[in-house]
Amino acid sequence: MALLVWQDDLNTGVDVIDAQHRRIVEMINRLHIANRSMERIAVAEVIEELVDYTLSHFAFEEELMEEAGYPFSAAHKRVHQLFAKRVGEYRLRFEAGDDIGDELRSMLARWLYNHIRSDDKDYADAVKHHLNLFAREHQEGGWLGRTLKRLFR
């Protein structure tokens, strides 16, 4: 199986999320390379980093959705939880000595690309709108900055 390549249709338009997704793709590729090296320690390190980073990404993404008022954030969070459980099962199999590198990589690639193209694209507009409002408010200096400008012009 070849290394994963980022495709433009994976962009959500939320720059911070797209950067995190690209990093996950890079880690999946590192898993492929580590697995080819046949060094279990290298594979274990990549799996740990990949799992930790992905869980942090999920938490960040979920917080953005909630702050943006995305109405399906609870359902999206549930999808993340189910995925985390599935990856946890792969991790246990690996720790038990199974060679799961290729299987895990294949599952991660399919899941990530499908998840981004459907679930993540669904919340993107709500999050972009929220981030744009936040940026405009802070660009103007927030409430205090606007008030001081009005009072002391």
Side-chain angles (χ1 to χ4, degrees):
M1 190 177 230
L3 294 176
L4 297 179
V5 176
W6 185 262
Q7 300 164 9
D8 287 342
D9 69 329
L10 296 168
N11 290 318
T12 64
V14 180
D15 292 341
V16 66
I17 294 295
D18 291 339
Q20 290 175 3
H21 287 158
R22 281 188 190 95
R23 183 154 179 220
I24 293 169
V25 168
E26 289 170 9
M27 288 181 193
I28 293 170
N29 284 334
R30 284 186 31 229
L31 176 61
H32 175 71
I33 293 164
N35 199 50
R36 290 291 158 255
S37 76
M38 304 293 277
E39 294 181 31
R40 272 187 80 72
I41 293 173
V43 173
E45 288 173 357
V46 174
I47 289 173
E48 286 303 311
E49 183 182 3
L50 182 58
V51 169
D52 289 346
Y53 187 82
T54 300
L55 294 178
S56 296
H57 163 71
F58 286 170
F60 180 80
E61 193 176 74
E62 291 162 7
E63 183 67 26
L64 276 179
M65 285 186 290
E66 287 178 26
E67 285 182 19
Y70 179 62
F72 303 107
S73 61
H76 196 114
K77 185 175 183 175
R78 182 70 182 135
V79 168
H80 286 168
Q81 290 168 340
L82 292 171
F83 176 75
K85 180 180 178 192
R86 188 172 175 194
V87 170
E89 292 166 358
Y90 275 99
R91 182 193 259 171
L92 288 174
R93 286 179 50 206
F94 178 78
E95 290 169 359
D98 287 356
D99 181 12
I100 53 93
D102 284 337
E103 185 182 344
L104 175 61
R105 182 193 172 280
S106 178
M107 185 279 293
L108 290 171
R110 277 191 320 275
W111 188 90
L112 180 67
Y113 280 17
N114 289 334
H115 181 71
I116 292 171
R117 287 180 175 129
S118 60
D119 299 328
D120 287 354
K121 291 266 179 128
D122 288 346
Y123 76 69
D125 286 340
V127 167
K128 284 189 286 191
H129 178 73
H130 172 73
L131 291 175
N132 287 336
L133 289 176
F134 181 83
R136 276 198 303 271
E137 182 174 312
H138 284 80
Q139 189 174 25
E140 297 169 4
W143 174 83
L144 180 60
R146 289 190 307 273
T147 302
L148 291 173
K149 283 180 187 175
R150 276 199 314 269
L151 294 174
F152 298 106
R153 279 194 182 174

Short mmCIF file of all heavy atoms in Angstrom, two decimals, residues 64-107:
data_model
loop_
_atom_site.label_atom_id
_atom_site.label_comp_id
_atom_site.label_asym_id
_atom_site.label_seq_id
_atom_site.Cartn_x
_atom_site.Cartn_y
_atom_site.Cartn_z
N LEU A 64 -14.56 23.27 19.48
CA LEU A 64 -14.92 24.23 18.44
C LEU A 64 -16.38 24.08 18.03
O LEU A 64 -17.11 25.08 17.88
CB LEU A 64 -14.04 24.05 17.20
CG LEU A 64 -12.69 24.73 17.17
CD1 LEU A 64 -11.97 24.42 15.87
CD2 LEU A 64 -12.82 26.23 17.33
N MET A 65 -16.83 22.83 17.82
CA MET A 65 -18.21 22.60 17.42
C MET A 65 -19.19 23.09 18.48
O MET A 65 -20.19 23.73 18.15
CB MET A 65 -18.45 21.11 17.16
CG MET A 65 -17.87 20.61 15.87
SD MET A 65 -18.33 18.90 15.52
CE MET A 65 -17.39 18.03 16.77
N GLU A 66 -18.89 22.80 19.74
CA GLU A 66 -19.78 23.23 20.82
C GLU A 66 -19.84 24.74 20.92
O GLU A 66 -20.91 25.32 21.06
CB GLU A 66 -19.34 22.60 22.14
CG GLU A 66 -19.65 21.12 22.22
CD GLU A 66 -19.16 20.48 23.50
OE1 GLU A 66 -19.02 21.17 24.52
OE2 GLU A 66 -18.92 19.25 23.48
N GLU A 67 -18.66 25.39 20.86
CA GLU A 67 -18.63 26.85 20.92
C GLU A 67 -19.38 27.48 19.76
O GLU A 67 -19.98 28.53 19.91
CB GLU A 67 -17.18 27.35 20.93
CG GLU A 67 -16.47 27.15 22.24
CD GLU A 67 -15.06 27.70 22.21
OE1 GLU A 67 -14.74 28.53 21.33
OE2 GLU A 67 -14.27 27.28 23.07
N ALA A 68 -19.32 26.84 18.60
CA ALA A 68 -19.99 27.36 17.41
C ALA A 68 -21.50 27.08 17.43
O ALA A 68 -22.23 27.58 16.59
CB ALA A 68 -19.38 26.75 16.15
N GLY A 69 -21.94 26.26 18.38
CA GLY A 69 -23.35 25.92 18.45
C GLY A 69 -23.78 24.93 17.38
O GLY A 69 -24.96 24.88 17.01
N TYR A 70 -22.85 24.13 16.90
CA TYR A 70 -23.18 23.13 15.89
C TYR A 70 -24.18 22.14 16.47
O TYR A 70 -23.91 21.52 17.51
CB TYR A 70 -21.91 22.42 15.42
CG TYR A 70 -22.15 21.36 14.39
CD1 TYR A 70 -22.71 21.66 13.15
CD2 TYR A 70 -21.81 20.03 14.65
CE1 TYR A 70 -22.93 20.68 12.20
CE2 TYR A 70 -22.03 19.04 13.70
CZ TYR A 70 -22.58 19.37 12.49
OH TYR A 70 -22.81 18.38 11.55
N PRO A 71 -25.37 22.01 15.86
CA PRO A 71 -26.44 21.21 16.49
C PRO A 71 -26.16 19.71 16.58
O PRO A 71 -26.79 19.02 17.38
CB PRO A 71 -27.65 21.48 15.59
CG PRO A 71 -27.10 21.97 14.29
CD PRO A 71 -25.80 22.64 14.61
N PHE A 72 -25.22 19.20 15.80
CA PHE A 72 -24.94 17.77 15.82
C PHE A 72 -23.61 17.44 16.51
O PHE A 72 -23.02 16.39 16.26
CB PHE A 72 -24.97 17.20 14.39
CG PHE A 72 -26.27 17.46 13.69
CD1 PHE A 72 -26.34 18.40 12.68
CD2 PHE A 72 -27.43 16.80 14.08
CE1 PHE A 72 -27.55 18.67 12.04
CE2 PHE A 72 -28.63 17.05 13.45
CZ PHE A 72 -28.70 17.99 12.43
N SER A 73 -23.16 18.35 17.37
CA SER A 73 -21.86 18.13 18.01
C SER A 73 -21.87 16.90 18.91
O SER A 73 -20.87 16.17 18.98
CB SER A 73 -21.40 19.37 18.78
OG SER A 73 -22.31 19.70 19.80
N ALA A 74 -22.98 16.60 19.58
CA ALA A 74 -23.04 15.41 20.44
C ALA A 74 -22.92 14.14 19.60
O ALA A 74 -22.21 13.19 19.99
CB ALA A 74 -24.33 15.40 21.25
N ALA A 75 -23.58 14.10 18.45
CA ALA A 75 -23.49 12.93 17.57
C ALA A 75 -22.07 12.78 17.02
O ALA A 75 -21.54 11.67 16.93
CB ALA A 75 -24.50 13.04 16.43
N HIS A 76 -21.46 13.90 16.67
CA HIS A 76 -20.10 13.88 16.15
C HIS A 76 -19.14 13.37 17.23
O HIS A 76 -18.25 12.56 16.95
CB HIS A 76 -19.69 15.28 15.69
CG HIS A 76 -18.49 15.31 14.82
ND1 HIS A 76 -18.55 15.69 13.50
CD2 HIS A 76 -17.20 15.03 15.06
CE1 HIS A 76 -17.34 15.64 12.97
NE2 HIS A 76 -16.49 15.24 13.91
N LYS A 77 -19.35 13.83 18.44
CA LYS A 77 -18.52 13.37 19.56
C LYS A 77 -18.67 11.86 19.75
O LYS A 77 -17.69 11.16 20.01
CB LYS A 77 -18.90 14.10 20.84
CG LYS A 77 -18.02 13.78 22.01
CD LYS A 77 -18.37 14.63 23.22
CE LYS A 77 -17.42 14.34 24.37
NZ LYS A 77 -17.65 15.21 25.51
N ARG A 78 -19.86 11.35 19.58
CA ARG A 78 -20.10 9.91 19.72
C ARG A 78 -19.34 9.13 18.64
O ARG A 78 -18.77 8.06 18.92
CB ARG A 78 -21.60 9.61 19.64
CG ARG A 78 -21.95 8.17 19.82
CD ARG A 78 -21.73 7.72 21.25
NE ARG A 78 -22.05 6.31 21.36
CZ ARG A 78 -21.32 5.41 21.98
NH1 ARG A 78 -20.23 5.77 22.61
NH2 ARG A 78 -21.67 4.16 22.00
N VAL A 79 -19.29 9.65 17.43
CA VAL A 79 -18.52 9.02 16.35
C VAL A 79 -17.04 8.95 16.76
O VAL A 79 -16.38 7.92 16.58
CB VAL A 79 -18.69 9.79 15.02
CG1 VAL A 79 -17.69 9.34 13.97
CG2 VAL A 79 -20.11 9.64 14.50
N HIS A 80 -16.54 10.05 17.34
CA HIS A 80 -15.16 10.06 17.82
C HIS A 80 -14.94 9.01 18.91
O HIS A 80 -13.91 8.31 18.92
CB HIS A 80 -14.80 11.44 18.38
CG HIS A 80 -14.59 12.49 17.35
ND1 HIS A 80 -14.50 13.83 17.68
CD2 HIS A 80 -14.47 12.43 16.00
CE1 HIS A 80 -14.31 14.54 16.58
NE2 HIS A 80 -14.30 13.71 15.54
N GLN A 81 -15.88 8.89 19.83
CA GLN A 81 -15.74 7.92 20.91
C GLN A 81 -15.70 6.49 20.38
O GLN A 81 -14.90 5.67 20.85
CB GLN A 81 -16.89 8.08 21.92
CG GLN A 81 -16.82 9.35 22.73
CD GLN A 81 -18.10 9.63 23.50
OE1 GLN A 81 -19.17 9.12 23.20
NE2 GLN A 81 -17.98 10.49 24.51
N LEU A 82 -16.56 6.18 19.44
CA LEU A 82 -16.57 4.84 18.85
C LEU A 82 -15.26 4.55 18.12
O LEU A 82 -14.72 3.45 18.21
CB LEU A 82 -17.76 4.68 17.89
CG LEU A 82 -19.14 4.68 18.56
CD1 LEU A 82 -20.25 4.75 17.50
CD2 LEU A 82 -19.30 3.45 19.44
N PHE A 83 -14.76 5.55 17.43
CA PHE A 83 -13.49 5.39 16.73
C PHE A 83 -12.35 5.17 17.73
O PHE A 83 -11.51 4.29 17.53
CB PHE A 83 -13.20 6.60 15.85
CG PHE A 83 -11.86 6.53 15.18
CD1 PHE A 83 -11.64 5.69 14.11
CD2 PHE A 83 -10.80 7.31 15.65
CE1 PHE A 83 -10.40 5.62 13.49
CE2 PHE A 83 -9.56 7.24 15.04
CZ PHE A 83 -9.36 6.40 13.96
N ALA A 84 -12.33 5.95 18.80
CA ALA A 84 -11.28 5.81 19.82
C ALA A 84 -11.32 4.42 20.43
O ALA A 84 -10.26 3.82 20.68
CB ALA A 84 -11.44 6.89 20.89
N LYS A 85 -12.51 3.89 20.64
CA LYS A 85 -12.63 2.53 21.18
C LYS A 85 -12.05 1.51 20.20
O LYS A 85 -11.33 0.60 20.59
CB LYS A 85 -14.11 2.22 21.47
CG LYS A 85 -14.33 0.84 22.05
CD LYS A 85 -15.79 0.58 22.32
CE LYS A 85 -15.95 -0.84 22.84
NZ LYS A 85 -17.31 -1.28 22.87
N ARG A 86 -12.36 1.70 18.94
CA ARG A 86 -11.86 0.78 17.90
C ARG A 86 -10.34 0.81 17.83
O ARG A 86 -9.68 -0.23 17.76
CB ARG A 86 -12.48 1.19 16.56
CG ARG A 86 -12.21 0.22 15.44
CD ARG A 86 -13.03 0.62 14.25
NE ARG A 86 -12.72 -0.21 13.11
CZ ARG A 86 -13.09 0.07 11.87
NH1 ARG A 86 -13.79 1.15 11.62
NH2 ARG A 86 -12.77 -0.73 10.89
N VAL A 87 -9.76 2.02 17.87
CA VAL A 87 -8.30 2.14 17.85
C VAL A 87 -7.70 1.55 19.11
O VAL A 87 -6.65 0.92 19.07
CB VAL A 87 -7.88 3.62 17.65
CG1 VAL A 87 -6.39 3.81 17.84
CG2 VAL A 87 -8.29 4.10 16.26
N GLY A 88 -8.38 1.72 20.24
CA GLY A 88 -7.92 1.12 21.49
C GLY A 88 -7.83 -0.40 21.40
O GLY A 88 -6.91 -1.01 21.96
N GLU A 89 -8.75 -1.00 20.68
CA GLU A 89 -8.72 -2.45 20.48
C GLU A 89 -7.51 -2.85 19.64
O GLU A 89 -6.87 -3.87 19.91
CB GLU A 89 -10.03 -2.91 19.82
CG GLU A 89 -11.23 -2.78 20.76
CD GLU A 89 -12.57 -2.91 20.05
OE1 GLU A 89 -12.61 -3.08 18.81
OE2 GLU A 89 -13.60 -2.83 20.76
N TYR A 90 -7.18 -2.06 18.62
CA TYR A 90 -5.98 -2.33 17.83
C TYR A 90 -4.74 -2.21 18.71
O TYR A 90 -3.82 -3.02 18.61
CB TYR A 90 -5.86 -1.34 16.66
CG TYR A 90 -6.62 -1.76 15.43
CD1 TYR A 90 -7.86 -1.22 15.15
CD2 TYR A 90 -6.09 -2.68 14.54
CE1 TYR A 90 -8.57 -1.58 14.02
CE2 TYR A 90 -6.78 -3.05 13.40
CZ TYR A 90 -8.02 -2.50 13.15
OH TYR A 90 -8.72 -2.87 12.02
N ARG A 91 -4.72 -1.19 19.55
CA ARG A 91 -3.58 -0.99 20.44
C ARG A 91 -3.39 -2.20 21.36
O ARG A 91 -2.27 -2.67 21.56
CB ARG A 91 -3.79 0.27 21.26
CG ARG A 91 -2.64 0.60 22.19
CD ARG A 91 -3.04 1.67 23.18
NE ARG A 91 -2.52 2.96 22.77
CZ ARG A 91 -2.87 4.09 23.36
NH1 ARG A 91 -3.75 4.10 24.32
NH2 ARG A 91 -2.33 5.22 22.99
N LEU A 92 -4.49 -2.72 21.90
CA LEU A 92 -4.41 -3.91 22.76
C LEU A 92 -3.89 -5.12 21.99
O LEU A 92 -3.08 -5.89 22.51
CB LEU A 92 -5.78 -4.22 23.38
CG LEU A 92 -6.26 -3.25 24.46
CD1 LEU A 92 -7.68 -3.61 24.88
CD2 LEU A 92 -5.32 -3.26 25.66
N ARG A 93 -4.36 -5.29 20.78
CA ARG A 93 -3.88 -6.40 19.95
C ARG A 93 -2.37 -6.27 19.70
O ARG A 93 -1.63 -7.25 19.75
CB ARG A 93 -4.63 -6.44 18.62
CG ARG A 93 -6.05 -6.97 18.74
CD ARG A 93 -6.78 -6.97 17.41
NE ARG A 93 -6.01 -7.61 16.35
CZ ARG A 93 -6.16 -7.33 15.05
NH1 ARG A 93 -7.08 -6.45 14.66
NH2 ARG A 93 -5.44 -7.94 14.15
N PHE A 94 -1.92 -5.04 19.43
CA PHE A 94 -0.50 -4.80 19.20
C PHE A 94 0.30 -5.14 20.45
O PHE A 94 1.33 -5.82 20.38
CB PHE A 94 -0.25 -3.34 18.79
CG PHE A 94 1.19 -3.01 18.59
CD1 PHE A 94 1.84 -3.39 17.43
CD2 PHE A 94 1.91 -2.33 19.56
CE1 PHE A 94 3.18 -3.11 17.24
CE2 PHE A 94 3.25 -2.04 19.39
CZ PHE A 94 3.89 -2.42 18.21
N GLU A 95 -0.19 -4.68 21.60
CA GLU A 95 0.51 -4.95 22.86
C GLU A 95 0.55 -6.45 23.17
O GLU A 95 1.47 -6.91 23.84
CB GLU A 95 -0.14 -4.17 24.00
CG GLU A 95 0.09 -2.67 23.90
CD GLU A 95 -0.76 -1.84 24.85
OE1 GLU A 95 -1.58 -2.43 25.61
OE2 GLU A 95 -0.59 -0.61 24.84
N ALA A 96 -0.43 -7.19 22.67
CA ALA A 96 -0.47 -8.64 22.87
C ALA A 96 0.45 -9.38 21.88
O ALA A 96 0.56 -10.60 21.95
CB ALA A 96 -1.90 -9.16 22.74
N GLY A 97 1.07 -8.62 20.98
CA GLY A 97 2.02 -9.24 20.07
C GLY A 97 1.56 -9.38 18.63
O GLY A 97 2.32 -9.83 17.78
N ASP A 98 0.31 -9.01 18.36
CA ASP A 98 -0.19 -9.11 16.98
C ASP A 98 0.49 -8.09 16.07
O ASP A 98 0.80 -6.97 16.50
CB ASP A 98 -1.71 -8.86 16.93
CG ASP A 98 -2.52 -10.00 17.49
OD1 ASP A 98 -1.93 -11.03 17.86
OD2 ASP A 98 -3.76 -9.85 17.58
N ASP A 99 0.67 -8.45 14.83
CA ASP A 99 1.20 -7.55 13.82
C ASP A 99 0.02 -6.86 13.16
O ASP A 99 -0.58 -7.37 12.21
CB ASP A 99 2.03 -8.34 12.79
CG ASP A 99 2.62 -7.45 11.71
OD1 ASP A 99 2.60 -6.21 11.87
OD2 ASP A 99 3.08 -7.99 10.70
N ILE A 100 -0.34 -5.69 13.68
CA ILE A 100 -1.54 -4.99 13.21
C ILE A 100 -1.22 -3.75 12.39
O ILE A 100 -2.13 -3.03 11.99
CB ILE A 100 -2.45 -4.60 14.41
CG1 ILE A 100 -1.67 -3.80 15.49
CG2 ILE A 100 -3.06 -5.82 15.06
CD1 ILE A 100 -1.75 -2.35 15.31
N GLY A 101 0.05 -3.49 12.13
CA GLY A 101 0.46 -2.24 11.49
C GLY A 101 -0.26 -1.94 10.19
O GLY A 101 -0.83 -0.86 10.03
N ASP A 102 -0.24 -2.86 9.24
CA ASP A 102 -0.88 -2.62 7.95
C ASP A 102 -2.40 -2.52 8.09
O ASP A 102 -3.03 -1.67 7.46
CB ASP A 102 -0.53 -3.72 6.94
CG ASP A 102 0.88 -3.56 6.40
OD1 ASP A 102 1.42 -2.43 6.43
OD2 ASP A 102 1.44 -4.57 5.93
N GLU A 103 -2.95 -3.39 8.90
CA GLU A 103 -4.40 -3.38 9.11
C GLU A 103 -4.84 -2.06 9.75
O GLU A 103 -5.82 -1.45 9.32
CB GLU A 103 -4.78 -4.57 10.01
CG GLU A 103 -6.25 -4.76 10.21
CD GLU A 103 -6.56 -5.93 11.15
OE1 GLU A 103 -5.67 -6.77 11.40
OE2 GLU A 103 -7.70 -5.97 11.62
N LEU A 104 -4.11 -1.62 10.76
CA LEU A 104 -4.43 -0.36 11.43
C LEU A 104 -4.28 0.81 10.48
O LEU A 104 -5.15 1.67 10.40
CB LEU A 104 -3.53 -0.17 12.66
CG LEU A 104 -3.67 1.16 13.40
CD1 LEU A 104 -5.09 1.34 13.93
CD2 LEU A 104 -2.66 1.24 14.54
N ARG A 105 -3.20 0.83 9.74
CA ARG A 105 -2.97 1.92 8.79
C ARG A 105 -4.09 2.01 7.76
O ARG A 105 -4.59 3.07 7.46
CB ARG A 105 -1.63 1.73 8.09
CG ARG A 105 -1.31 2.85 7.13
CD ARG A 105 -0.15 2.47 6.23
NE ARG A 105 0.03 3.45 5.20
CZ ARG A 105 -0.70 3.52 4.09
NH1 ARG A 105 -1.65 2.67 3.87
NH2 ARG A 105 -0.48 4.45 3.20
N SER A 106 -4.49 0.87 7.22
CA SER A 106 -5.55 0.84 6.23
C SER A 106 -6.87 1.34 6.82
O SER A 106 -7.58 2.15 6.21
CB SER A 106 -5.70 -0.58 5.71
OG SER A 106 -6.74 -0.65 4.78
N MET A 107 -7.19 0.88 8.03
CA MET A 107 -8.42 1.32 8.68
C MET A 107 -8.37 2.82 8.96
O MET A 107 -9.34 3.54 8.71
CB MET A 107 -8.63 0.54 9.99
CG MET A 107 -9.94 0.84 10.70
SD MET A 107 -10.00 2.33 11.73
CE MET A 107 -8.88 1.94 13.05
#
